[in-house]
Amino acid sequence: MKKQVLNIFTVLALGLAVVGCKNEKQAETSEAKEVAEVAVEAKYKAIAEESMIMWEANKIVGGHSGTINLSNGVIETKGNALVGGNFIFDIATLANTDIEDAEQKAKLEGHLKADDFFDVEKFPNASFEITSVEGDNVSGNLMMKGIKKNITIPVKVGMNEDMMTITSDVFTIDRTEWDIKYNSGKFADPAKLGDYMIKDDVELKISVTAKKA
């Protein structure tokens, strides 16, 4: 499975460009919203080992990429249409995929899980709860570090007998809106940070595979 995850990410990484402060992939973000009331005809249970968030974060020079695995999740449908769902991601599974040296890889992963970034001991999970679906655009409450914001992202939905997939386009969020501020030019002097300044925009892609319950 580890090899499969790496292969998936390799394909994704080849298509990613270094992002600036704002671009056309920026997710529309607003305050958390209530889940829309919709009729549900079927539910699909997410397959944890085949579902994940893929991420890429950049400094002024260089950057890193990796994955965060799904813990559990449910997709709700009406006919063949996606109408709802909720997903929980285990931040403790955060893994780097671009560093080959085992010691450096472990050092980065440990730092990302510490309180400078995700503070895994205090906030072990992230979640995404779909609040509404309009065409190919899905809106949902993304919660990290106890902070919940609604984002709207384009997705592709696939159906094959009793299997279903949801794959988002690559999109970016401003990490500081979820209190991830380490080495951000908004909260420290960019001149002093120099090449250590980390861009606020982080690229994400959500991929979920599920089986009819």
Side-chain angles (χ1 to χ4, degrees):
M1 183 56 208
K2 182 177 180 182
K3 183 178 180 180
Q4 180 184 1
V5 170
L6 293 177
N7 287 342
I8 290 172
F9 186 79
T10 299
V11 173
L12 171 66
L14 289 174
L16 295 179
V18 174
V19 297
C21 290
K22 298 289 179 184
N23 58 46
E24 68 278 8
K25 295 183 290 187
Q26 188 82 24
E28 180 183 336
T29 305
S30 62
E31 294 305 309
K33 297 180 180 179
E34 295 293 327
V35 176
E37 293 187 11
V38 293
V40 176
E41 295 178 349
K43 293 185 178 183
Y44 291 73
K45 184 176 181 181
I47 301 172
E49 59 268 24
E50 297 180 25
S51 306
M52 70 196 78
I53 294 175
M54 292 162 274
W55 56 268
E56 179 172 308
N58 292 285
K59 299 188 294 184
I60 296 303
V61 178
H64 295 292
S65 54
T67 59
I68 299 172
N69 293 343
L70 182 81
S71 174
N72 59 70
V74 174
I75 299 172
E76 299 173 335
T77 63
K78 181 180 180 181
N80 288 328
L82 170 68
V83 296
N86 59 82
F87 313 95
I88 298 176
F89 295 89
D90 182 1
I91 303 298
T93 67
L94 184 151
N96 166 265
T97 55
D98 66 275
I99 299 176
E100 295 183 1
D101 181 82
E103 183 177 345
Q104 291 300 315
K105 172 182 164 70
K107 182 178 179 180
L108 174 64
E109 291 172 350
H111 192 194
L112 291 174
K113 294 173 187 179
D115 56 7
D116 278 343
F117 289 94
F118 286 100
D119 198 356
V120 171
E121 287 191 10
K122 189 174 180 180
F123 304 103
N125 298 312
S127 65
F128 183 74
E129 180 181 38
I130 295 174
T131 53
S132 63
V133 181
E134 295 184 11
D136 294 332
N137 290 320
V138 169
S139 296
N141 293 325
L142 174 63
M143 185 170 72
M144 295 188 293
K145 297 188 73 174
I147 298 171
K148 189 183 293 186
K149 299 275 187 177
N150 196 271
I151 63 172
T152 299
I153 56 176
V155 303
K156 296 178 180 65
V157 177
M159 303 282 289
N160 183 11
E161 297 181 348
D162 63 345
M163 300 298 293
M164 184 175 183
T165 59
I166 299 175
T167 306
S168 77
D169 288 356
V170 175
F171 62 95
T172 67
I173 61 169
D174 181 342
R175 63 188 174 94
T176 64
E177 294 194 48
W178 284 267
D179 196 34
I180 302 173
K181 301 175 181 177
Y182 182 76
N183 280 13
S184 166
K186 290 180 183 177
F187 301 93
D189 184 351
K192 292 182 178 179
L193 289 174
D195 291 348
Y196 291 98
M197 187 172 80
I198 301 172
K199 294 183 179 182
D200 294 332
D201 282 356
V202 176
E203 289 193 342
L204 302 176
K205 178 168 181 161
I206 299 174
S207 178
V208 177
T209 299
K211 185 172 183 179
K212 196 169 186 178

